[in-house]
Amino acid sequence: MRISRISRIPRSTVIPRTPSTPRRVAVTLAAVAVLTALTGCGASESGGGSGRAGITVRIPDPGNSGVLARGKKDGSLARALAKVDATVVWTGSAGPFAPAAQALNADQLDIATGSITSGLTSLAQNPGFAFFTATAPDPVGEGILVRNGSGIDSVKDLVGRKVAVNQGGTGEYLLLKALAKAGVPADKVERVTLRPDQTAAVFNTGKVDAWAVWSTYSVAELGRGGAHFVADGRAVGSDNYSLTAVRSAFADRHPEVVTALYRYLHDGSVKEKRDPAGFLNVTTDAGPQALTGAARRVQIAFTRQGGTVEPITDADVRRFKDVARFYAEQKVTRAEVDIAAHVIDVRKLAAGKAS
């Protein structure tokens, strides 16, 4: 079916570009790839692998933390994929889901991870991908972050203030959700559209009053001890699931590979939740990619309270629809996106019964 295109969001103040700060936090699952980093990677669905594997699956490089980072280092992912005659090709680097969705559509990537919120805006543009795993919303690692001593003690105190968001993604969703729950009209708060990797410097110099943010960036700020959540994911009632997407043509041709990936991610996430420290600083414990000190402790606490990678259930889809309806009501999208049409039941996929 044809899905409506995204509407333009009312213009927000945009602060001049600032130097980005080093990313100190690695996502638990594989980070999504920036489209330009993927161009010309040359991987294909058949051939290109090593040994007996005849299928290559292109996944963004996992960086220094998480299930895939550990699987890359210890070879366990390669062994799991070898059982279905597949080989992984690591491509690209960390980045937002929107360009990764473009890469999926352009046959430059096979797997990517992103939030339901950024997924919805990407689905509104003739998607060539579907979602096959879900991780429950983060109750403690995302929310509305404010500096200590800011005088902002509740969401209602954001009236007349500037809040940094990433347009159409997790940040904008969290802010709008928090305002709606607090009964604050959205136009009473100024949304400042910024790239997430550019926001820390703006936030810490006081050019914005708050930051609608998730754990990839909040851990470093909380670890430094100069900020806190005025409302976290649990407080705002977030339905911001983390999802894994697969290129539709890849899922059609290689359901056994998608199923193997799901099992690997699920089993790994269960182990990670039980032993978060074992999945941090996988390749290096020094430098900007490493988590140390208080930030490491914050990330471990967040992971223990987080979810695991699971199949997408009917109950999940109902919550996805709530997010889609909310986005339409808030004019983030022109119409309600039919996300149910882009969900795969991975439990049935290997038998050729994808729903």
Side-chain angles (χ1 to χ4, degrees), residues 4 11 28 60 68 83 95 112 132 139 143 150 176 189 197 202 216 219 328 332 342:
S4 303
R11 181 172 298 181
T28 300
L68 292 178
K83 294 177 182 178
F132 69 100
S150 66
L176 292 172
V189 176
D197 61 352
V202 178
T216 304
V219 167
V332 178
H342 303 282

Side-chain angles (χ1 to χ4, degrees), residues 175-333:
L175 176 61
L176 292 172
K177 190 77 173 175
L179 295 177
K181 187 168 184 180
V184 177
D187 61 2
K188 297 297 183 182
V189 176
E190 186 173 358
R191 279 170 268 176
V192 181
T193 302
L194 291 169
R195 273 177 33 188
D197 61 352
Q198 296 178 335
T199 306
V202 178
F203 173 73
N204 285 304
T205 55
K207 294 178 181 177
V208 295
D209 301 295
W211 184 3
V213 66
W214 58 102
S215 62
T216 304
Y217 303 95
S218 69
V219 167
E221 301 303 319
L222 295 167
R224 280 194 283 269
H228 65 278
F229 282 124
V230 71
D232 61 16
R234 183 182 288 114
V236 305
S238 172
D239 276 328
N240 187 37
Y241 281 77
S242 175
L243 307 178
T244 309
V246 59
R247 188 167 57 84
S248 299
F250 187 93
D252 289 342
R253 295 170 188 167
H254 308 298
E256 73 286 355
V257 178
V258 180
T259 302
L261 277 168
Y262 158 70
R263 289 172 179 160
Y264 185 85
L265 291 171
H266 168 76
D267 293 348
S269 68
V270 171
K271 295 174 184 175
E272 183 181 32
K273 185 177 174 70
R274 188 165 56 239
D275 176 29
F279 291 79
L280 292 177
N281 301 336
V282 172
T283 57
T284 179
D285 57 6
Q289 285 192 320
L291 276 178
T292 59
R296 182 175 179 274
R297 292 191 292 272
V298 169
Q299 182 63 71
I300 288 172
F302 283 177
T303 301
R304 283 179 175 149
Q305 297 177 72
T308 55
V309 176
E310 303 294 339
I312 298 174
T313 67
D314 291 342
D316 295 329
V317 172
R318 287 193 291 271
R319 291 177 71 177
F320 297 169
K321 289 180 177 178
D322 288 341
V323 179
R325 188 177 307 113
F326 180 74
Y327 258 27
E329 292 170 352
Q330 295 291 326
K331 311 301 182 185
V332 178
T333 56

